[in-house]
Amino acid sequence: MQNYSDKHPHISHIPVAWGEMDALQHVNNVAYFRYFETARIDFFGRFFPLDNMYRQGLGPVISENQARYKRPVTYPDTLQVGVWVSDVHPDRFTLHYEVFSEAQQAITTTGTSVAVMFDFKLGRKADMPSEMLALLKNLQQSEPS
């Protein structure tokens, strides 16, 4: 468990809700994309709050999501969703997620999101503000250590 905590710059703790279970009695696959979203927003809230950029009409949008399901999760459980960053470019970056089940003491799901910086006023891709680019490059990892 300590190793899991040490290798991610950010971890969100997310309780599994009963309503996230499906007819097969495990968490429905679509719920993981909400877990990724929660962890992503928490990550930015901790390292680089996006509010000012969004007010200026600029912000990251997700252009691609991927998940790999390794083990089913059931209610009750609390998930720790670790986040790390790779492939940082001036206009995009990749976020990686590892979902750790406290009940199972195991990684149950992994995933990625590619985020592209977007100018909402002009309706097109944009470069990141220099402060955000520097922060993401500083946090960038090829794999969690």
Side-chain angles (χ1 to χ4, degrees):
M1 176 59 185
Q2 185 60 35
N3 185 31
Y4 180 82
S5 298
D6 291 342
K7 69 182 191 176
H8 298 91
H10 177 77
I11 295 175
S12 292
H13 297 260
I14 304 171
V16 172
W18 173 261
E20 293 168 335
M21 301 231 306
D22 62 17
L24 299 175
Q25 297 303 301
H26 59 75
V27 172
N28 187 279
N29 60 350
V30 75
Y32 292 91
F33 292 102
R34 286 191 296 264
Y35 301 152
F36 296 167
E37 176 185 52
T38 296
R40 181 171 59 248
I41 298 303
D42 289 350
F43 173 86
F44 279 110
R46 176 177 176 191
F47 291 109
F48 195 88
L50 300 174
D51 298 350
N52 284 337
M53 278 194 334
Y54 283 134
R55 279 195 286 279
Q56 295 171 12
L58 184 68
V61 296
I62 301 303
S63 67
E64 180 181 330
N65 271 321
Q66 176 273 333
R68 179 165 182 245
Y69 308 102
K70 297 179 173 200
R71 300 172 70 133
V73 172
T74 59
Y75 174 89
D77 200 347
T78 297
L79 304 175
Q80 296 183 30
V81 183
V83 179
W84 56 281
V85 179
S86 74
D87 302 313
V88 177
H89 300 275
D91 63 344
R92 68 190 178 285
F93 54 94
T94 301
L95 291 152
H96 300 262
Y97 314 98
E98 282 189 325
V99 180
F100 180 87
S101 161
E102 290 184 3
Q104 298 180 51
Q105 291 293 294
I107 293 173
T108 64
T109 311
T110 60
T112 59
S113 296
V114 176
V116 175
M117 192 58 58
F118 198 77
D119 184 321
F120 299 105
K121 292 177 184 174
L122 299 176
R124 65 178 186 214
K125 188 169 66 163
D127 284 340
M128 281 184 257
S130 58
E131 308 83 31
M132 182 179 186
L133 182 61
L135 171 80
L136 291 174
K137 283 189 177 214
N138 188 49
L139 292 172
Q140 181 173 232
Q141 299 173 242
S142 57
E143 285 189 38
S145 36

